[in-house]
Amino acid sequence: MRIISTERSQVLATRISVKLAVPLAETKFTRFPDGEMYLRCEGLDDKTLIVSSIVDSDMLVQTLLAIDAADRSRNTLVIPYLGYARQDKRFASGEPISARAVARALSCGIERAFVVDIHDPGALDYFSVPAKNVTIAPAIGRYVGDLNLKNPLILAPDEGAIEFAADVAAVGGWDCDFLQKTRISGEEVQIAPKTVDAAGREVVIVDDIISTGGTLATAARMLREQGAVSIHAACVHGVLVNGAYTRLRAAGISSIASSDTYENASSFISAANAIAAAITEDVHY
Ligand code: R5P
């Protein structure tokens, strides 16, 4: 078996390679003069694990090329971050269901797929091969434990994310709640934990994705007003577009951490253990 990594998943792929004791296939990435992508993988074997986060359209193409390069082997695709997954419904006529389009394209040439904390697990049905979701909530919980906060309160940004937050909180037996939006007037909205008082608490807001940081920045400002002592943020996929990191710091968030599913300078948490365990537990390994 060999592991192929596309260009934006090299650190995580290397960590998975160490955990599974499976070598990485050396891969050369270049472009043709017209900008089209090219890759060449050395020393492929009869089984290939392709590790590729779809962080942008280039990485989607690179993943398709990697799958095709390994067409003579049995392929497993690990998609730590599945871009396009948030458009998982048709909201207006004439729109694509982007999650479905991407899942269908990626299913071709692979035997099975693994994704990490996909926005809506229902989107896994769009793959035409067996596809599993791997959660790194326990790894985020261990990260929170390492922050050495006093009696932290774990908050989900909305009710839909409470299960993930509860899995994080379970690591330390911490309190857990979700943030509820209440409209005070036409212009004024209040965001506060549904049941637990944030006053005097060290708060950690956990989410699957931080993109623009807008959701968390608004919540952080209001939690401060409610008397939270400190506010931290931890997410799986740190997309962090348009100055999100600085926006969050400016909103009073003391620490921001994400995982290596979307490699960047705040990727302090690794998904490698959880992915390696899911692969080895799978009957086809
Ligand atoms: C939404 O349902 C997701 O779970 C995240 O809360 C959302 O994608 C975060 O987006 P942003 O950082 O742009 O507020």
Side-chain angles (χ1 to χ4, degrees), residues 213-275:
T215 312
L216 262 62
T218 311
R221 287 204 179 88
M222 298 215 161
L223 287 165
R224 275 260 179 242
E225 285 168 20
Q226 291 154 33
V229 172
S230 69
I231 301 157
H232 305 261
C235 72
V236 179
H237 313 294
V239 180
L240 299 173
V241 291
N242 300 338
Y245 190 92
T246 44
R247 176 175 305 119
L248 293 173
R249 293 305 300 259
I253 297 188
S254 321
S255 71
I256 302 156
S258 60
S259 86
D260 50 9
T261 59
Y262 200 112
E263 294 175 0
N264 62 44
S266 69
S267 304
F268 304 128
I269 302 159
S270 183
N273 266 335
I275 292 171

Side-chain angles (χ1 to χ4, degrees), residues 86 119 157-158 161 207-216:
R86 279 185 286 174
H119 185 62
D158 54 51
D207 205 354
D208 59 341
I209 302 172
I210 301 177
S211 182
T212 64
T215 312
L216 262 62

Side-chain angles (χ1 to χ4, degrees), residues 70-155:
D71 69 333
R72 301 219 170 140
S73 75
R74 299 178 56 193
N75 297 328
T76 297
L77 177 61
V78 176
I79 316 158
Y81 173 67
L82 180 61
Y84 291 93
R86 279 185 286 174
Q87 176 81 15
D88 54 6
K89 291 178 186 61
R90 179 169 281 139
F91 298 94
S93 64
E95 281 183 353
I97 301 174
S98 309
R100 180 177 66 184
V102 169
R104 280 179 177 167
L106 293 173
S107 296
C108 195
I110 62 166
E111 288 187 349
R112 58 186 176 146
F114 294 90
V115 297
V116 179
D117 287 303
I118 189 167
H119 185 62
D120 174 6
L124 294 174
D125 294 342
Y126 294 137
F127 284 87
S128 56
V129 294
K132 279 191 186 158
N133 187 49
V134 176
T135 182
I136 64 159
I140 295 191
R142 288 190 290 277
Y143 164 81
V144 172
D146 290 343
L147 291 175
N148 289 319
L149 304 174
K150 200 173 151 229
N151 188 22
L153 168 61
I154 311 299
L155 289 179

